[in-house]
Amino acid sequence: MTTDVVVGVDSSTQSCTVELRALDSGALVSTARVSHPATTPPVSEQDPEAWWDAMVRAVREAVSGHDVHVVALSVGAQCHGLVASDASGVVLRPAKLWNDTTSAAQAQALLEARGLSWWTQQMGIAPSAALTIAKLAWLRDNEPDVFARVQHLAVPHDWLTFRLTGAHVTDRSDASGTGYYSAPTNRWRPDVLGDLVAAREWESTLPRVLGPDEAAGRLTSTAATALGIGDDVLVAAGGGDQHLAAQGIGLIEGDIAYSLGTSGVVFATNSQPVLDPSGAIDGVANVTGGYLPLVCTLNCTKVTDTMGRLLGVDHAALGELALAAPLDPDRPVLAAYLDGERSPRLPDARGMLAGLTTATTREQLALAAFEGVALGLVRGERQLTAHGVPTGGRTIAVGGGARARAYRQIIADLTGRSVVTVDAPEGTARGAAIQAAAVARGQTVAEVTAEWSPQVTSSIDPSHDRTDVWERYLHLTAVQEPAPHH
């Protein structure tokens, strides 16, 4: 018997992952993954056609051998990347990705032109090299001929949705990470683009922002033929990867998520915009009509990977060493800024280890790595709480680092709350499938998120109070902060 299914797409920096889920129950039918070309920051660029080719191959592989009827599809993708097209929709150059840092100087100039507090209050987010607007400023300064031909601006998920439907659209979540969309007021700010070149007419270059439960359109016959599915398929608004992952893991107001990957993110969902004048919190929009305030740290699992390499052990053994370390109050503490830091804004910082003695053990060094990462993320949670974001619900650990018991135990100990994992290994693709199902069923994304909320797969309770290192950690992180101007 043919099963009605929805397709959830996660087009990340590394690969395109596709999940097919049953429309009625959300049960996983099949999954497929196809790699993207590798990038090597500081210059990190990809040809958008490579994303399209990978998505086509992944969808074809996922539906192959299954008696399914695809009714809806949604695309989640890496945020911030700049896809610049001409009037006929032809991409003018490879897309600069979020982790391309060549636009750092342009980001700094944008920040200084209006000031940090203006950006955070007006836009909900402050310029960094990651943001789309900084990449557009880089294009103006370095490739003026290409810049002059730009007629359509898109981020990766917008462009893939355009290839699927022919519609130049986006959603609030991804728009709010561009630097020229105001999350607090839900509107584009072409005046900010006018700071780049005043004489340009920018409004026509911007995609239409869809509502959270609105469809972008239906597949074109060309796209349907390429994907090997029917052309009666609805395409949802799509969204940013973290934003759809929040739906995939079943995040509801009151919950807080710790995403433990190469970089770390702590995020929650909130009905009201969060405006942080310090710029530590990105007050971006979510995919259900509210907001997804988040704090991102640059250094997460790569810190423990590095410590494992220095100690000559794998990740599992490093975690065992860390959990075996005695909790001496004067144990070593690590400010884990190995590659500079984004939260706090210390791009030139380095990791600093304090409290070494002749009695320091390998166990203590392993513990310092895990605690240093966790302390930075807990600092982010405390910033969210200070801005009124409720965090009394579940604490959900996601990402590769969530597999390490040491990370989950230390976060539980530092927050005084149980830490759970859920059955959503591909959170973004799962969240995209939820959004596709909502459009197909005429429901809200929030309703389907609640209905398809994944099962808890593990729970770990606090076992020790680790906050004895909190003040030492803050003191160590302050050492590298620039002296105030007088």
Side-chain angles (χ1 to χ4, degrees), residues 58-77:
V59 170
R60 282 185 166 272
E61 184 181 327
V63 299
S64 177
H66 297 277
D67 186 7
V68 293
H69 170 229
V70 177
V71 296
L73 180 152
S74 171
V75 178

Side-chain angles (χ1 to χ4, degrees), residues 36-239:
H36 286 156
T39 70
T40 52
V43 177
S44 180
E45 299 180 351
Q46 287 170 339
D47 181 353
E49 287 293 334
W51 308 333
W52 174 254
D53 292 343
M55 184 169 72
V56 165
R57 288 170 55 197
V59 170
R60 282 185 166 272
E61 184 181 327
V63 299
S64 177
H66 297 277
D67 186 7
V68 293
H69 170 229
V70 177
V71 296
L73 180 152
S74 171
V75 178
Q78 54 178 315
C79 299
H80 310 309
L82 171 64
V83 186
S85 308
D86 66 13
S88 56
V90 175
V91 176
L92 296 171
R93 70 176 316 283
K96 277 201 169 295
L97 307 186
W98 64 275
N99 60 347
D100 182 300
T101 56
T102 55
S103 57
Q106 286 78 13
Q108 187 61 33
L110 286 163
L111 188 61
E112 290 172 357
R114 290 186 183 254
L116 177 61
S117 63
W118 183 92
W119 282 97
T120 55
Q121 295 301 305
Q122 293 284 320
M123 314 300 283
I125 193 169
S128 69
L131 264 56
T132 322
I133 191 168
K135 300 178 190 309
L136 193 59
W138 180 94
L139 194 65
R140 173 201 63 191
D141 294 345
N142 292 275
E143 298 178 8
D145 292 348
V146 175
F147 180 81
R149 294 167 57 204
V150 175
Q151 294 294 323
H152 281 136
L153 294 173
V155 292
H157 115 258
D158 305 349
W159 184 82
L160 286 167
T161 303
F162 170 74
R163 285 297 304 264
L164 291 166
T165 64
H168 191 43
V169 294
T170 188
D171 87 305
R172 291 173 63 248
S173 74
D174 231 355
S176 65
T178 59
Y180 43 87
Y181 179 86
S182 169
T185 61
N186 290 317
R187 61 188 181 94
W188 291 117
R189 291 292 299 268
D191 58 309
V192 177
L193 289 169
D195 289 353
L196 303 183
V197 174
R200 288 284 289 271
E201 194 283 300
W202 287 105
E203 289 196 36
S204 63
T205 70
L206 299 168
R208 183 167 71 88
V209 183
L210 299 172
D213 310 305
E214 192 177 350
R218 292 189 182 273
L219 279 189
T220 65
S221 57
T222 303
T225 301
L227 295 168
I229 57 180
D231 58 8
D232 58 340
V233 177
L234 273 172
V235 179

Side-chain angles (χ1 to χ4, degrees), residues 314-347:
D314 64 18
H315 213 276
L318 188 76
E320 290 169 11
L321 283 172
L323 291 175
L327 296 186
D328 299 330
D330 60 349
R331 64 188 179 275
V333 177
L334 175 68
Y337 306 155
L338 272 59
D339 293 329
E341 191 43 83
R342 172 173 165 179
S343 302
R345 289 176 176 270
L346 299 172

Side-chain angles (χ1 to χ4, degrees), residues 260 301 304 314-324 366-367 370-371 374 397-414 417-421 457-464 466:
L260 307 169
T301 57
T304 41
D314 64 18
H315 213 276
L318 188 76
E320 290 169 11
L321 283 172
L323 291 175
L367 177 59
F370 282 101
E371 282 189 337
V398 298
R403 292 194 287 269
R405 181 182 178 89
Y407 271 127
R408 304 198 310 275
Q409 183 67 65
I410 289 165
I411 292 168
D413 291 350
L414 286 170
R417 299 190 307 268
S418 300
V419 173
V420 302
T421 55
T457 52
S458 77
S459 180
I460 198 161
D461 297 327
S463 62
H464 299 88
R466 296 176 186 268

Side-chain angles (χ1 to χ4, degrees), residues 256-313:
I256 188 156
Y258 280 72
S259 178
L260 307 169
T262 304
S263 58
V265 187
V266 58
F267 59 93
T269 189
N270 206 52
S271 59
Q272 299 300 314
V274 175
L275 307 177
D276 173 16
S278 79
I281 298 171
D282 287 348
V284 293
N286 68 10
V287 296
T288 59
Y291 295 85
L292 194 77
L294 61 87
V295 176
C296 180
T297 64
L298 283 183
N299 299 275
C300 189
T301 57
K302 60 182 173 182
V303 176
T304 41
D305 289 346
T306 300
M307 187 61 80
R309 176 171 57 77
L310 294 174
L311 294 177
V313 294

